[in-house]
Structure formats: structure tokens, C-alpha cells
Amino acid sequence: GRPHIALLVDRIDESTIQVAEQSGIDEVFSKPLTADALIAALARFDRRSKPRRPAFDHEVLLDRFGGDSELLAEICQVFGENAVTLMAALVKGIGVQNTGLVLHSLNKLRAAALFVSAQPLCDELDRIAELVSLQDWAAVPGCLFSTRLEFGRLTSELACP
């Protein structure tokens, strides 16, 4: 497989995230890089080097809707439309370090992800929730980066179930 690419910057902002996403960077860290952040990244890299699980469980989701693939397509479309708004609110909340807004948008986005059986995105959102609960705002943007990658993968897979 391809190497795992990480970027270390003084401060993570929206332009850094956009450049990283466009460049195929897997992780973004802000200084100072803590041992815990590095260990967590290495653990994620180890999980990513193994075969990736799908962004969502198509069979579970199809079964949930009684095998109705047209209904599934409609649900996926609605998820895509609403989830983008929720992700934007999450990004905004993180940008201003507003715990209430972050947790509110995160919980709504997590519920929507659970509804479409998107466990990998839920796992990423849980990591953000843990960091916010610890008030570790310096680590949140790097975690948000990997969450946005997973979100992109999910919305892409849901667009053509």
C-alpha cells in the first residue's frame, strides 16, 4: 500500500485542511506534538494498513428498509443533504471552540451516521467527542481532518449504493 503521510504545522486552520485533503495527506498535527497524539496516530495507521471496512454496511441498511433499494437511495440522498450542514456546524463549533455547538452537531451527525450504519464515521466522531470532553482543543483539528476524510468516503459510497 501507499505510505501513511503526516503533516506537522504550527496551527491547523481551514486552509491547512484543504491543502492536506487535496494533497492526499493522511494525518495533520499541530505543534506541540504530544506523545499521546503520536501514539494514537500510529494506532490509526496500523488499523488503516489492514483491509478497510466499508464506510457503511450496505446489507444492514438495505435490510433495514425491507430490501427496497429505491427507498435506500432516497435515504442516502437525504443523509447527504443533511449531513453536509451538520458537518459544517461541527467545523464551525471547533473553529470557535464552542463545546455546546460541537457536541450538539456531533451528536446529530453521529445519530445520522448510525442511521445509515456508518460505524467508521461514528468512531471518528467519538474521538472528537473524547477530545472535546477533555478540553484538548489543540488535538481536535487533527482529529477533525481524519473525520472529514471518513465523511467524504461515506458520502461518496452512499452516492452510489
Side-chain angles (χ1 to χ4, degrees):
R2 74 175 189 80
H4 189 78
I5 301 170
L7 176 65
L8 180 63
V9 295
D10 286 328
R11 188 174 153 275
I12 299 173
D13 57 20
E14 190 62 31
S15 65
T16 304
I17 290 173
Q18 287 175 354
V19 167
E21 286 173 344
Q22 293 167 356
S23 303
I25 293 173
D26 300 297
E27 297 279 343
V28 180
F29 300 101
S30 61
K31 295 178 183 176
L33 178 60
T34 65
D36 288 343
L38 184 57
I39 290 168
L42 291 171
R44 284 191 303 279
F45 171 68
D46 183 53
R47 285 194 305 272
R48 289 179 185 158
S49 64
K50 297 175 178 129
R52 267 182 126 168
R53 61 186 172 167
F56 74 107
D57 191 326
H58 183 268
E59 295 305 315
V60 167
L61 198 52
L62 190 58
D63 188 51
R64 181 176 294 151
F65 300 114
D68 187 338
S69 56
E70 287 181 24
L71 178 58
L72 174 58
E74 287 179 37
I75 295 294
C76 291
Q77 181 180 356
V78 169
F79 172 85
E81 293 166 359
N82 293 324
V84 169
T85 304
L86 294 172
M87 179 59 81
L90 177 61
V91 170
K92 178 182 178 183
I94 288 171
V96 296
Q97 297 184 358
N98 182 322
T99 303
L101 179 58
V102 169
L103 294 178
H104 178 75
S105 354
L106 191 140
N107 288 331
K108 283 186 157 191
L109 187 55
R110 189 177 193 293
L114 281 173
F115 185 74
V116 295
S117 302
Q119 191 58 49
L121 179 58
C122 290
D123 294 345
E124 294 291 336
L125 293 169
D126 289 345
R127 288 180 42 231
I128 291 176
E130 180 180 352
L131 293 171
V132 170
S133 72
L134 297 171
Q135 296 293 297
D136 188 357
W137 289 105
V140 172
C143 190
L144 176 62
F145 176 75
S146 57
T147 301
R148 288 173 68 164
L149 289 176
E150 186 60 42
F151 179 77
R153 189 169 77 97
L154 172 63
T155 55
S156 174
E157 287 184 26
L158 283 174
C160 44

